[in-house]
Amino acid sequence: MTWTVASFTALLETEFPPRWAEPWDRVGLVVGRPEQPVTRVLAVVDVLPSTVAEALDTGADMIIAHHPLLLSGVSSVAATTYQGRIIHDLIGNGVALYVAHTNADVAEPGVSDALADALGLLDTRPLRATEEGCGFGRIGRLPAPLTLGEFAHLAAASLPVANWGVRVSGDPARPVSTVAVCGGSGDEFIPDAVAADVDVYLTGDLKHHRVADLRASGGPALVDAGHYATERPWLTPLAAWLRTATGLETIVSDTTTDPFGFHACATLDPVA
């Protein structure tokens, strides 16, 4: 079968229907002529100059991204911003761009399934169910109980976390068996993790006051592994599915797009 942007988009939308996306989200085909052939695919978290350069270097003619390039409304795509320059580079080099964001978050399998699998969770179910799809986040159990400290080290070893590791709120000796996870920015789902009575909730972008309130009032331990690190695992099963479904070469990006590049301590030099 010869794949085109139109047929490839149709396949993606059977797995990640745009109607599953949040109302504020911007998903679907961003750049590309429907009749344009697709022969090689690059899967990325973020559409940035570095990942576009990777697509050109690898000869990809389709990028599948998790984060939208144009999330806010625009009235111009002039090459005076990095987004405008990317649009021009993609069109000029015949590279299509497709985004699956919150519709991939709620899909089964989706972003949080890949995160749960990376941590070895069993018997998973949604953290917050939706009317369509499966729901945001996942709840599961560890194969064997761990302490919170051991679980934090498991997360740091299993995920592409930033070089400062993971942030943890809770007693390191606390037993951990049931785990909730959510890929990306999952601060809003803390109440769901509390209601589910899990031992620990792992996500990214946790906010100071919400964490402080929970620690003072009781509830699950919290682990912040970072936004990028909790979404990046999804690219591997996504690429595997596409290879099986299309027979096309599908490459998982080697480019780390976590915007935090190093950390510094008061008595140590910056760690690159």
Side-chain angles (χ1 to χ4, degrees):
M1 176 177 178
T2 299
W3 289 92
T4 64
V5 167
S7 59
F8 203 86
T9 295
L11 173 68
L12 289 169
E13 293 184 351
T14 64
E15 194 80 354
F16 313 111
R19 69 179 182 276
W20 290 358
E22 291 292 283
W24 51 263
D25 204 3
R26 298 294 179 268
V27 301
L29 187 65
V30 180
V31 172
R33 294 181 179 275
E35 70 276 10
Q36 177 181 326
V38 176
T39 61
R40 184 174 293 148
V41 182
L42 178 69
V44 308
V45 174
D46 298 288
V47 187
L48 295 171
S50 57
T51 50
V52 172
E54 184 180 7
L56 300 182
D57 288 344
T58 57
D61 43 34
M62 168 69 85
I63 296 173
I64 299 177
H66 185 49
H67 290 153
L69 173 64
L70 303 173
L71 184 57
S72 301
V74 298
S75 59
S76 169
V77 291
T80 54
T81 64
Y82 88 85
Q83 294 101 327
R85 289 190 290 273
I86 282 175
I87 294 292
H88 283 262
D89 287 343
L90 293 175
I91 294 173
N93 289 278
V95 180
L97 169 61
Y98 187 92
V99 170
H101 191 210
T102 52
N103 51 333
D105 288 334
V106 301
E108 183 183 9
V111 173
S112 289
D113 292 293
L115 175 57
D117 289 345
L119 296 169
L121 300 186
L122 305 173
D123 302 326
T124 57
R125 64 185 192 276
L127 176 60
R128 180 185 293 179
T130 57
E131 292 183 4
E132 292 193 83
C134 186
F136 288 101
R138 296 293 182 267
I139 298 171
R141 61 177 178 86
L142 292 167
L146 300 173
T147 66
L148 178 59
E150 290 169 336
F151 176 76
H153 284 287
L154 170 67
S158 303
L159 304 175
V161 297
N163 55 32
W164 58 82
V166 300
R167 301 188 298 168
V168 185
S169 176
D171 181 354
R174 174 178 181 157
V176 169
S177 180
T178 56
V179 181
V181 300
C182 184
S185 183
D187 185 89
E188 69 177 285
F189 301 113
I190 288 178
D192 300 88
V194 172
D197 196 27
V198 300
D199 298 317
V200 61
Y201 175 42
L202 180 148
T203 187
D205 297 346
L206 291 175
K207 296 177 181 178
H208 172 93
H209 293 293
R210 198 185 289 262
V211 174
D213 289 346
L214 185 65
R215 184 158 187 177
S217 61
L222 298 173
V223 177
D224 188 332
H227 195 122
Y228 172 83
T230 56
E231 292 182 330
R232 169 60 177 76
W234 175 62
L235 299 186
T236 300
L238 170 69
W241 169 68
L242 285 171
R243 292 185 196 110
T244 300
T246 68
L248 297 177
E249 182 179 4
T250 304
I251 304 163
V252 173
S253 173
D254 287 330
T255 304
T256 298
T257 53
D258 191 324
F260 297 101
F262 70 90
H263 74 282
C265 298
T267 59
L268 298 175
D269 293 331
V271 178

